[in-house]
Amino acid sequence: GRILPELENPETGKYINSPETPIFNKSKLLYGFWKSKNFVREAKAVLLVEGQMDFLMMWQAGVKNLVATSGTALTVDHLKVLKKLADNILITFDKDEAGKMAAERAIDLAGAADLSAFVLDWGLYKDPAEVVEKDPDLIPQILEKPIPAMDYYFSQYLGTGKIVTK
């Protein structure tokens, strides 16, 4: 489930998952993978989004080579699955502090899994779902200019690099 936006606060996550069971194990499951795996294989790249709504909104906007983690919980098991189909991972978590930390963790995990990591910056928008809702014409422009992981780090910590903004 997802907490209603008006009830969100910094002490709770945006998503509330059911307990882990033999059927639901968020450290191994990627939302939408069954639907998008052929598109990922064809593109040799996967767009990694933070949640199910980001996945659904981007899918409806025509982006098909994507998967969602349950929140920011990217794992080595996820990357093992993705590595079989893709060479590049495009990370696009929410622009909050948790998303920023998760993006850095994902860059490091992707490197260890021998995947080339890139970050997508949606400019003024907080997440991919908001871009689809408010400015869908921006999507192809951003997808054409993924930011290499090192440029992302340089921009974040040294104020250099080429971060795309609207």
Side-chain angles (χ1 to χ4, degrees):
R2 187 175 198 278
I3 292 178
L4 296 171
E6 61 269 12
L7 299 177
E8 285 183 34
N9 69 61
E11 295 164 16
T12 62
K14 189 172 12 176
Y15 296 96
I16 301 172
N17 293 314
S18 62
E20 299 228 344
T21 68
I23 295 172
F24 177 75
N25 184 331
K26 78 177 187 177
S27 66
K28 293 189 180 187
L29 296 175
L30 289 163
Y31 184 82
F33 180 71
W34 68 276
K35 191 82 167 156
S36 64
K37 65 183 172 184
N38 290 331
F39 296 101
V40 171
R41 182 183 295 117
E42 185 179 304
K44 288 289 194 195
V46 60
L47 177 68
L48 181 67
V49 297
E50 187 172 317
Q52 292 88 346
M53 292 307 296
D54 292 320
F55 176 92
L56 293 170
M57 295 290 285
M58 291 294 282
W59 184 271
Q60 290 175 0
V63 179
K64 305 294 185 187
N65 60 317
L66 76 157
V67 295
T69 56
S70 294
T72 57
L74 180 67
T75 67
V76 172
D77 288 330
H78 292 141
L79 292 171
K80 283 180 186 176
V81 170
L82 295 173
K83 177 64 181 158
K84 292 176 185 177
L85 305 174
D87 298 322
N88 301 311
I89 185 167
L90 293 87
I91 301 159
T92 179
F93 290 136
D94 291 0
K95 288 182 91 170
D96 56 15
E97 196 58 36
K100 187 172 153 183
M101 289 181 359
E104 292 179 9
R105 184 174 176 277
I107 289 169
D108 295 343
L109 286 172
D114 201 26
L115 283 161
S116 295
F118 298 85
V119 178
L120 297 179
D121 182 0
W122 299 105
L124 303 174
Y125 301 106
K126 67 178 180 176
D127 61 24
E130 186 178 31
V131 175
V132 173
E133 179 185 344
K134 295 182 178 173
D135 194 358
D137 294 336
L138 183 62
I139 296 168
Q141 296 171 40
I142 299 299
L143 292 176
E144 289 173 11
K145 297 178 183 173
I147 302 160
M150 291 313 299
D151 286 353
Y152 172 79
Y153 275 133
F154 292 147
S155 176
Q156 291 297 309
Y157 294 102
L158 300 177
T160 62
K162 297 178 182 174
I163 298 293
V164 176
T165 58
K166 185 175 174 192

